Amino acid sequence: MNSKLLTTIGRHRAGVFLVSAMAFAVGNALAATDPAHPDAKSPEMSYQGAPGAIDPTATKDFMDGEGPKMTKAEFAEAKEIFFQRCAGCHGVLRKGATGKPLTTDMTRALGTDYLKAMITYGSPAGMPNWGTSGDLTEAKVDLMARYLQHEPPMPPEFGLPDMKGTWKVLVPPEQRPTKQMNKLNLDNLFSVTLRDAGEIALIDGDSKEIVSIIKTGYAVHISRLSASGRYLFVIGRDAKINLIDLWMEKPETVAEIKVGMEARSVETSKFPGMEDKYAVAGTYWPPQFVIMDGDTLEPLKIVSTRGMTVDTQEYHPEPRVAAIVASHEHPEFIVNVKETGHVLMVDYSDIDNLKTTDIEAAPFLHDGGWDGTKRYFMTAANKSNKVAVVDSKDQKLAAIVEVGDIPHPGRGANFVDPQFGPVWGTSHLGDASISLIGTDPKGHPDQAWKVVRKLQGQGGGSLFIKTHPKSKNLYVDTALNSVEKLSQSVAVFNIDKLDAPYTVLPIAEWAELGEGPKRVVQPEYNKAGDEVWFSVWNAKDKKSALVVVDDKTLKLKKVIKDDRLVTPTGKFNVYNTIHDVY
């Protein structure tokens, strides 16, 4: 490669179109920041590149004469690499998502040699050095450089006939129990994602024993409960939904459906008089959401989310559906459309004449939760470094709040700050800060919708922050931090003494698991609010565990070990999930 080309690369690295192009999946991204790229944030790279669940063989391919020569076999191989490592950042159609666009007008102008150099050496803006690290051979680097100059393959759409072809009612409603047939304390039951096993574990919060292991879709993203607490809805990244009846003698799946090719979100109706009537799920591909019957998962209404971005007013063909919550103020589902930055308030009182209030927020909407009153939806626009505040009662945007680098709150944390009153908090992937936003416009108007306090935690790479109304502690994980000591522990702040140093709990050390990355992720309280559960998320071929901590003493209470606990990640307590306690 000539010196002129290398000079050009050096000048353009920070802004090149391949920023963060091929970050590995969260499940595989365990390495520290590469010393060759000290400015690259490994927590950000680890998070963004979650593998797609789309089957590469199902796409419609477009090889044309304008791109470099490729055989069909080469195209198929490159396509699989792209879907597994790149689509999570750049989108299936390469129009740009969290990462930059990789459309052919850009990639062909850069050319094969330039693309090869970028893939090989990476960039300070966050793209790993895939060639020099050994992750991609020289031949595969060349393969991907040529592939990116061909039109992106088009995955199939997924409409009503496709959904109905996967829909199964395994136990019809009339054949289900009319009362709870087991002796479980359902309010204190935990649904635990076993990510790489494609399963969930139901664990009794009282006895700490596994009740059942249930097969699900790939890498369950969330568990949600029906308003009644009877039904558990889980959705995998492959867009498969399981409806699990917790009243059965042994809780089992009673209905299932696949609503697309890739997904993250599911929710049920909660408005008084319409509890559990409908369920809703949002997909990454195709970009749409579907309203289903709450008892059977029968698909009833599909709505596309393709449209214009809120900032530049440009058309985006692949705006993915991120978080969905059910309003307590109106019969509405509140739907985050990620790339375009729209928050949709979808009125389900008459789905044949669907009414939607479209709120312009900020691009890259992701996760979030309610404030303490359950009126205001606090949602992170992660790559915009903002939190949007949506007033679900008045159905309008209340505020846009600037926070830290890549907020990732999960559902956030609500508590009363001793100086500033009610607040909602988020931690961040990109820095060590915890932003506390005032949420009481009537009682504390001067603090409302402002960052009233910034705490400093252990470091970046935080995925979840959590507290409880009966607790005086605020827990912050750092699961994706590149420093092993930080990713294997949590910071605990005393809410009454927020200026005091935090306490570090060595959760992974307490688990005594032996080898492996042992990342500690997602604090979750039991119903009583007197103990906190953590996942010690190890590699698939290593031992994992759940660690239970006494909230009052911050001492180890229990380590739950079982060979069936394969890569545990998210945990959802039934009572807290139903009642939005966080």
Side-chain angles (χ1 to χ4, degrees), residues 42-43 46 408 427-434 456-465 475-493 502 504-505 507 517-523 534-535 537:
S42 66
S46 298
H408 193 285
S427 53
H428 300 83
L429 274 163
D431 63 39
S433 70
I434 297 100
Q456 290 298 311
Q458 294 196 88
S462 177
L463 290 176
F464 297 99
I465 180 173
Y475 296 84
V476 183
D477 71 20
T478 40
L480 296 185
N481 198 284
S482 60
V483 178
E484 190 174 86
K485 184 178 179 180
L486 304 188
S487 66
Q488 296 183 0
S489 61
V490 297
V492 188
F493 293 85
Y502 55 77
V504 177
L505 302 185
I507 302 296
K518 299 182 297 248
R519 288 177 292 170
V520 175
V521 65
Q522 203 215 26
F534 297 89
S535 296
W537 174 16

Side-chain angles (χ1 to χ4, degrees), residues 1 6 13 37 116-123 127-129 131-132:
M1 191 173 297
L6 289 174
R13 274 184 168 179
H37 302 289
K116 285 169 63 176
M118 281 306 307
I119 296 169
T120 300
Y121 298 106
S123 83
M127 179 176 164
N129 52 323
T132 56

Side-chain angles (χ1 to χ4, degrees), residues 40 111 232 358 370 475 510 541:
L232 172 68
D358 188 336
W370 295 105
Y475 296 84
W510 287 346
D541 61 345

Side-chain angles (χ1 to χ4, degrees), residues 26-240:
V26 167
N28 297 326
L30 307 176
T33 304
D34 190 283
H37 302 289
D39 297 326
K41 299 183 178 70
S42 66
E44 179 180 350
M45 292 190 291
S46 298
Y47 170 72
Q48 288 182 359
I54 293 174
D55 180 2
T57 64
T59 62
K60 184 178 181 181
D61 299 341
F62 300 99
M63 281 193 294
D64 58 49
E66 295 186 44
K69 185 177 179 181
M70 296 189 78
T71 67
K72 289 184 178 181
E74 287 179 319
F75 194 88
E77 181 182 3
K79 178 173 60 174
E80 185 166 359
I81 293 172
F82 184 86
F83 280 131
Q84 285 298 313
R85 299 183 181 180
C86 314
C89 290
H90 297 278
V92 171
L93 302 181
R94 309 207 307 251
K95 292 286 188 179
T98 308
K100 301 294 184 181
L102 294 171
T103 49
T104 54
D105 59 320
M106 299 176 179
T107 58
R108 288 174 182 171
L110 292 171
T112 301
D113 285 343
Y114 190 97
L115 294 171
K116 285 169 63 176
M118 281 306 307
I119 296 169
T120 300
Y121 298 106
S123 83
M127 179 176 164
N129 52 323
W130 295 113
T132 56
S133 69
D135 289 297
L136 290 178
T137 65
E138 186 176 343
K140 283 189 169 52
V141 168
D142 176 76
L143 180 73
M144 295 308 298
R146 287 182 286 132
Y147 170 80
L148 292 175
Q149 297 174 73
H150 287 272
E151 294 298 329
M154 174 74 73
E157 299 295 323
F158 209 87
L160 193 62
D162 302 295
M163 292 184 194
K164 287 197 170 181
T166 70
W167 173 49
K168 298 177 183 176
V169 180
L170 305 174
V171 182
E174 62 271 16
Q175 295 179 20
R176 298 172 194 168
T178 57
K179 62 180 181 179
Q180 185 177 340
M181 301 301 291
N182 56 59
K183 295 182 179 180
L184 295 170
N185 176 8
L186 294 182
D187 276 354
N188 203 32
L189 190 70
F190 285 77
S191 173
V192 181
T193 297
L194 305 180
R195 188 185 186 278
D196 293 347
E199 298 170 335
I200 62 161
L202 297 180
I203 301 181
D204 184 343
D206 297 337
S207 69
K208 314 297 190 292
E209 298 293 329
I210 295 176
V211 173
S212 183
I213 301 288
I214 298 174
K215 284 288 182 184
T216 62
Y218 163 71
V220 163
H221 193 65
I222 58 171
S223 297
R224 291 290 179 262
L225 274 297
S226 63
S228 65
R230 172 178 183 170
Y231 290 120
L232 172 68
F233 296 77
V234 299
I235 188 165
R237 292 189 177 211
D238 58 358
K240 181 181 178 181

Side-chain angles (χ1 to χ4, degrees), residues 408-523:
H408 193 285
R411 307 200 90 181
N414 288 298
F415 61 94
V416 178
D417 184 291
Q419 181 177 351
F420 300 109
V423 297
W424 177 91
T426 180
S427 53
H428 300 83
L429 274 163
D431 63 39
S433 70
I434 297 100
S435 297
L436 304 183
I437 299 171
T439 60
D440 184 16
K442 289 187 177 180
H444 297 77
D446 292 340
Q447 282 77 45
W449 319 137
K450 299 175 183 176
V451 175
V452 297
R453 190 192 295 267
K454 273 203 173 187
L455 307 174
Q456 290 298 311
Q458 294 196 88
S462 177
L463 290 176
F464 297 99
I465 180 173
K466 190 63 68 75
T467 189
H468 188 280
K470 296 181 181 179
S471 175
K472 291 299 182 181
N473 294 317
L474 175 67
Y475 296 84
V476 183
D477 71 20
T478 40
L480 296 185
N481 198 284
S482 60
V483 178
E484 190 174 86
K485 184 178 179 180
L486 304 188
S487 66
Q488 296 183 0
S489 61
V490 297
V492 188
F493 293 85
N494 184 324
I495 289 172
D496 291 334
K497 301 174 182 178
L498 290 170
D499 291 329
Y502 55 77
T503 300
V504 177
L505 302 185
I507 302 296
E509 179 182 317
W510 287 346
E512 297 182 340
L513 294 174
E515 295 181 349
K518 299 182 297 248
R519 288 177 292 170
V520 175
V521 65
Q522 203 215 26

Side-chain angles (χ1 to χ4, degrees), residues 222-224 233-235 241 264-268 279-282 292 297 322 324-325:
I222 58 171
S223 297
R224 291 290 179 262
F233 296 77
V234 299
I235 188 165
I241 302 173
R264 298 292 188 277
S265 53
V266 67
E267 182 61 288
T268 63
V280 63
M292 300 162 283
L297 299 182
I324 302 177
V325 296

Side-chain angles (χ1 to χ4, degrees), residues 303-382:
V303 181
S304 173
T305 55
R306 291 178 170 105
M308 314 304 284
T309 61
V310 299
D311 48 1
T312 59
Q313 300 288 302
E314 293 178 281
Y315 178 74
H316 200 296
E318 193 190 341
R320 301 173 288 182
V321 176
I324 302 177
V325 296
S327 173
H328 300 272
E329 300 282 353
H330 300 281
E332 292 178 333
F333 293 122
I334 301 178
V335 179
N336 274 356
V337 186
K338 190 176 181 75
E339 280 73 29
T340 57
H342 292 265
V343 179
L344 307 179
M345 307 185 80
V346 182
D347 186 336
Y348 54 74
S349 61
D350 181 2
I351 66 170
D352 292 327
N353 299 282
L354 201 66
K355 296 178 182 178
T356 300
T357 301
D358 188 336
I359 296 173
E360 294 190 358
F364 310 113
L365 294 170
H366 193 61
D367 56 353
W370 295 105
D371 80 304
T373 68
K374 300 180 179 63
R375 171 174 175 171
Y376 298 98
F377 178 45
M378 316 287 292
T379 181
N382 55 18

